[in-house]
Amino acid sequence: MAHFGYFLSCEEHPPAALIEQARMAEQAGFDALWISDHYHPWNDRQGQSPFVWSVIGALSQAVSLPVETAVTCPLVRTHPAVIAQAAATSAVQLGGRFRLGVGTGEALNEHILGTGWPEAPVRLAMLEEALQIIRNLFTGEQISHHGRYYTVENARLYTLPDEPVPIDVSAFGPQAAESAARIGDGLITMMPDRALVERFRRGGGGAKPVYGGFKACWGPDRQEAVRTAHRLWANERLPGELGQILPTPRHFEQASELVTPEQVASAVPCGDDPDAHVEAMHAFVDAGFDTVYVQQIGEDQQGFFDFYRTKVLPRLRG
């Protein structure tokens, strides 16, 4: 049976609002939480970007739901040895209810230190080496590592959970899915792509869990909801690798001028028709996903959670 989670958007909301949304998600009956990890929002209209590890610490004291980063990039902006410590501490705070979601990142967040932005195949190789370091540190042993991309000397984690933190790998294409099957404990992807899930399972993923998510914009006026979704998240409809290579929110704003409200409306469930929201969830379940996360776009979070508590989650579980 599939589970249903809520996706906390660090790009849209300050820390206190994220904590309150997590409480509302638990009260509404959601099973788990995702939280994004960004240095910048995608555009200035979104307007926020708190440090995810601080927010996770607060979540551990506010809710009893499992939490996962969706996703952290342990490649450039933050060294994998530091990510290992952050993840281990988060798992301790959450009593083992933490999963580390990782991916190869976006220039938007990772270029800020002035280093070059590697091509996708190089980032995949960096991710594999990074996960080797993180898993070695999860053993609690002192490690040194002199690899192609990273150096670690005499590092040891002293604050560790009882079990190593599971690491799920984000993938959007066939090569990345096969890599995720080989090096990950699960798969994260943002489209209900049955072929990608099957490739992950055939490539070694087997029965490992698959997680997916989408955005919605609940509201009593569908056209207003479409306008809100287009204003805040038109960047979601940019094609190809633009999401990985554009370096600043301003560049995303410029590119998003090519995205129409109609394109957003065709991809994002907008309005208060339960069928549209249930259908979006079912698309992932039918494609073989184990857990599906939804993010409400905009300020009316209470209305969204009331709607899902009364009109959507009961149908999904019925």
Side-chain angles (χ1 to χ4, degrees):
M1 179 178 177
H3 297 280
F4 304 100
Y6 187 71
F7 193 172
L8 298 166
S9 172
C10 286
E11 301 92 330
E12 261 196 78
H13 303 284
L18 294 168
I19 302 308
E20 183 57 29
Q21 289 166 28
R23 291 192 181 103
M24 289 191 288
E26 186 164 31
Q27 293 164 2
F30 283 95
D31 301 311
L33 298 170
W34 262 0
I35 185 165
S36 56
D37 178 4
H38 271 236
Y39 195 89
H40 295 135
W42 297 99
N43 56 63
D44 281 355
R45 292 191 180 102
Q46 292 170 0
Q48 294 288 333
S49 206
F51 187 54
V52 68
W53 302 105
S54 300
V55 181
I56 289 171
L59 288 172
S60 73
Q61 304 303 300
V63 295
S64 62
L65 296 178
V67 178
E68 178 166 22
T69 51
V71 292
T72 289
C73 177
L75 305 187
V76 179
R77 170 173 48 112
T78 313
H79 193 282
V82 178
I83 294 295
Q85 185 185 29
T89 299
S90 296
V92 170
Q93 289 179 296
L94 284 155
R97 294 176 286 108
F98 179 74
R99 297 182 77 93
L100 177 62
V102 300
T104 56
E106 304 90 16
L108 174 71
N109 303 301
E110 304 304 316
H111 84 287
I112 60 169
L113 302 181
T115 55
W117 183 233
E119 294 182 345
V122 176
R123 300 201 309 272
L124 278 173
M126 294 173 72
L127 183 64
E128 184 164 351
E129 186 176 330
L131 295 196
Q132 179 186 348
I133 292 167
I134 292 169
R135 287 199 168 100
N136 285 343
L137 285 166
F138 284 165
T139 66
E141 301 293 326
Q142 180 175 295
I143 76 155
S144 292
H145 174 94
H146 298 275
R148 182 173 182 181
Y149 302 106
Y150 303 105
T151 298
V152 179
E153 291 187 353
N154 310 325
R156 179 184 172 189
L157 296 182
Y158 281 82
T159 299
L160 288 164
D162 293 336
E163 299 292 333
V165 179
I167 303 174
D168 302 318
V169 176
S170 174
F172 295 93
Q175 181 182 354
E178 291 177 359
S179 178
R182 184 166 44 82
I183 67 176
D185 298 311
L187 171 69
I188 292 173
T189 190
M190 301 303 289
M191 293 294 291
D193 187 338
R194 177 182 289 275
L196 190 73
V197 173
E198 291 175 348
R199 186 149 188 165
F200 168 76
R201 299 210 182 281
R202 288 197 308 268
K208 294 176 183 178
V210 176
Y211 304 92
F214 67 97
K215 292 174 176 58
C217 191
W218 175 87
D221 182 333
R222 184 176 184 275
Q223 289 308 310
E224 181 60 30
V226 169
R227 286 191 288 271
T228 298
H230 180 259
R231 176 172 57 86
L232 292 173
W233 286 94
N235 59 279
E236 285 277 295
R237 306 314 303 160
L238 294 176
E241 293 186 61
L242 286 178
Q244 284 73 54
I245 65 173
L246 295 178
T248 70
R250 181 58 184 149
H251 288 101
F252 277 93
E253 290 165 7
Q254 292 168 349
S256 295
E257 292 176 4
L258 302 173
V259 178
T260 66
E262 291 74 23
Q263 288 173 305
V264 172
S266 69
V268 176
C270 293
D272 61 356
D273 179 2
D275 289 345
H277 294 261
V278 170
E279 182 180 342
M281 284 282 199
H282 271 309
F284 284 88
V285 175
D286 293 344
F289 286 71
D290 298 284
T291 305
V292 188
Y293 294 80
V294 59
Q295 172 197 323
Q296 163 70 352
I297 296 172
E299 294 299 320
D300 195 352
Q301 297 290 320
Q302 185 64 65
F304 165 87
F305 285 115
D306 289 343
F307 173 69
Y308 265 68
R309 176 177 54 82
T310 59
K311 300 290 180 64
V312 177
L313 292 178
R315 283 180 55 180
L316 292 168
R317 294 180 174 130

